[in-house]
Amino acid sequence: MISDKLTQEQVEGVRRLLEPAQKVVVLTHMSPDGDAMGSALALYWWLKATKDVQVIVPNVFPDFFNWMPDVDTILICEKDAAKAKSLINDADLLICSDFNEPKRIGQLGQMAMEATCPKILIDHHLFPSDFADVTISYTDVTSASELVFRLIYQITNHQLPITNYQEMATCIYTGLMTDTGNFAFNSNYPEVYEIIAILIAAGVDKDAVYNHIFNAHTEGRMRLVGYCLNNKMRIFPDCHASLIYISGKELYRFNFKTGDAEGIVNMPLSIKDVYYSVFMREDKVADWEKERANGSKTKIKISMRSQGDRPVNIFCQEIYNGGGHKNASGGEYYGSLADAVNLFLSNYEKYFKKD
Ligand code: 5GP
Ligand code: MN
């Protein structure tokens, strides 16, 4: 039996906001990952039977999500910001999924904050900001997708299946699987597997989802992985840490496409006695963030991972203006790659435990 994790107030709050809404817009975070895509599309499939639903993401997502059901209906704000703005202005309800603050969705954040319609936030990061009318925020779950499942489960009084059940379930499973590294971490409680049992009974082909996501890389990505591990990885044995950083020029050699760097940050953790891993890559500053970039043409995207009781979110927050989960965080640095690396080198000993 899956427990009712969401409070009655949350469930009733969502019911109250959903009932009169016809036009619903679902927003998720920058550089969408499997949980962002999965939770947003699961909400879409759930509501599609009775409402006019539109998912909007801030920027492009990797090709390995192209198989997801109705993925081609998603609007990418970076490609058509005017349309995103008009959809948000016309919406009766905004549902924000898998992010904790408007800053995490780029220019969509400002559009969402200017919208006068009610808002729901569904998230599993620390420190949710309080812009929403109903906030469903739990950090002790696998994913935002799990929270979407729990919401649907509770709001229907455990009366699954719903219309479009298999599509919804497939999207939920995608988020669960990707945010736990195929159930390698952050998934150590029985209810995760009870939920998975329900999803598989709903018709999810879990092996197919795995293949779509993890066995669908480009040749360039594979060679990039080899290059990063062989030529770029530095180990700091005193602090059990690893650092990989890569310039835009190097990425260009490997025909870099969105998503090609996904997962590289996790790899050094498979070395014995490496408990912290940091990956940095150089990116261009987009038009909408020029002001924030303060004259810099480059932005460094930082990803950090750790094992056990060794937080990396505090480092990301204090040094790179980012944040995230205890064992998986990120941030951005507007400036040169060398400066971002130097910031790491001058701070890691302070933050990383030596045990
Ligand atoms: P990734 O390394 O996969 O880009 O991100 C890992 C996690 O760190 C994400 O789930 C997200 O919560 C968080 N994260 C990544 N980048 C940022 C950032 O720039 N700001 C904040 N606040 N969190 C981030
Ligand atoms: Mn997530």
Side-chain angles (χ1 to χ4, degrees):
M1 180 69 181
I2 296 165
S3 62
D4 285 346
K5 189 173 185 75
L6 277 51
T7 65
Q8 202 58 23
E9 198 185 346
Q10 288 170 326
V11 175
E12 288 315 314
V14 171
R15 200 195 301 281
R16 180 172 43 80
L17 295 181
L18 266 181
E19 226 156 52
Q22 187 48 41
K23 291 183 191 153
V24 179
V25 169
V26 180
L27 304 174
T28 191
H29 67 75
M30 203 76 191
S31 309
D33 58 11
D35 188 30
M37 298 293 287
S39 60
L41 282 172
L43 286 161
Y44 162 92
W45 278 106
W46 171 43
L47 300 174
K48 183 181 152 96
T50 53
K51 303 192 186 291
D52 177 6
V53 202
Q54 174 70 53
V55 175
I56 309 180
V57 299
N59 58 349
V60 288
F61 47 82
D63 287 348
F64 52 75
F65 293 126
N66 282 344
W67 59 274
M68 293 185 80
D70 272 9
V71 74
D72 53 342
T73 67
I74 295 179
L75 177 72
I76 298 166
C77 177
E78 210 172 56
K79 290 190 175 169
D80 196 345
K83 187 160 180 204
K85 197 173 169 64
S86 100
L87 282 162
I88 289 173
N89 282 342
D90 287 349
D92 303 321
L93 178 65
L94 289 185
I95 310 183
C96 301
S97 185
D98 199 27
F99 66 92
N100 56 353
E101 47 178 353
K103 187 183 116 199
R104 293 280 294 131
I105 57 172
Q107 60 185 327
L108 267 180
Q110 198 180 345
M111 296 178 195
M113 291 313 105
E114 282 167 10
T116 52
C117 69
K119 300 169 190 78
I120 296 170
L121 174 65
I122 303 174
D123 185 43
H124 68 132
H125 296 92
L126 288 170
F127 317 123
S129 51
D130 64 354
F131 65 86
D133 300 85
V134 176
T135 299
I136 298 173
S137 168
Y138 294 90
T139 55
D140 58 344
V141 293
T142 56
S143 53
S145 298
E146 178 182 331
L147 291 174
V148 171
F149 175 87
R150 287 178 179 278
L151 171 65
I152 299 172
Y153 185 67
Q154 287 185 231
I155 212 168
T156 61
N157 297 317
H158 312 163
Q159 294 304 302
L160 301 171
I162 55 166
T163 315
N164 299 321
Y165 195 37
Q166 187 178 356
E167 289 88 349
M168 183 279 287
T170 299
C171 296
I172 300 275
Y173 184 81
T174 303
L176 280 171
M177 182 190 83
T178 51
D179 257 23
T180 59
N182 200 30
F183 310 101
F185 47 80
N186 201 23
S187 44
N188 215 14
Y189 50 96
E191 286 194 1
V192 184
Y193 302 93
E194 291 183 50
I195 293 171
I196 293 170
I198 291 177
L199 299 176
I200 291 175
V204 174
D205 182 344
K206 79 172 195 43
D207 300 3
V209 175
Y210 181 92
N211 280 323
H212 280 310
I213 304 265
F214 293 121
N215 292 334
H217 291 302
T218 59
E219 181 185 336
R221 136 87 184 190
M222 215 53 198
R223 296 195 187 281
L224 171 66
V225 171
Y227 177 71
C228 284
L229 298 180
N230 194 41
N231 299 36
K232 305 292 298 186
M233 184 175 67
R234 281 177 66 179
I235 303 288
F236 303 83
D238 283 2
C239 288
H240 305 279
S242 157
L243 169 68
I244 297 171
Y245 56 90
I246 188 152
S247 69
K249 212 164 147 189
E250 288 170 302
L251 291 168
Y252 186 74
R253 277 168 47 194
F254 294 95
N255 265 326
F256 182 78
K257 287 213 311 274
T258 305
D260 280 358
E262 205 68 35
I264 297 178
V265 65
N266 294 93
M267 294 175 182
L269 293 180
S270 65
I271 302 169
K272 189 172 180 302
D273 296 332
V274 170
Y275 306 136
Y276 295 95
S277 172
V278 181
F279 178 83
M280 297 186 197
R281 74 176 164 88
E282 189 182 72
D283 204 351
K284 286 199 192 83
V285 167
D287 281 345
W288 65 267
E289 58 186 343
K290 277 199 171 129
E291 205 173 311
R292 194 186 289 181
N294 215 357
S296 173
K297 288 193 169 51
T298 54
K299 159 172 90 172
I300 313 305
K301 180 80 192 84
I302 296 118
S303 285
M304 294 203 188
R305 299 291 185 270
S306 63
Q307 287 173 338
D309 191 22
R310 299 177 185 86
V312 279
N313 47 357
I314 300 167
F315 191 111
C316 284
Q317 196 182 333
E318 294 182 1
I319 307 297
Y320 296 116
N321 193 29
H325 313 282
K326 182 168 78 174
N327 297 131
S329 318
E332 283 167 355
Y333 178 79
Y334 291 100
S336 73
L337 182 58
D339 287 349
V341 170
N342 283 332
L343 263 179
F344 170 80
L345 295 175
S346 48
N347 283 292
Y348 75 93
E349 285 176 302
K350 250 191 315 205
Y351 286 83
F352 292 178
K353 279 204 289 192
K354 295 194 172 45
D355 67 321

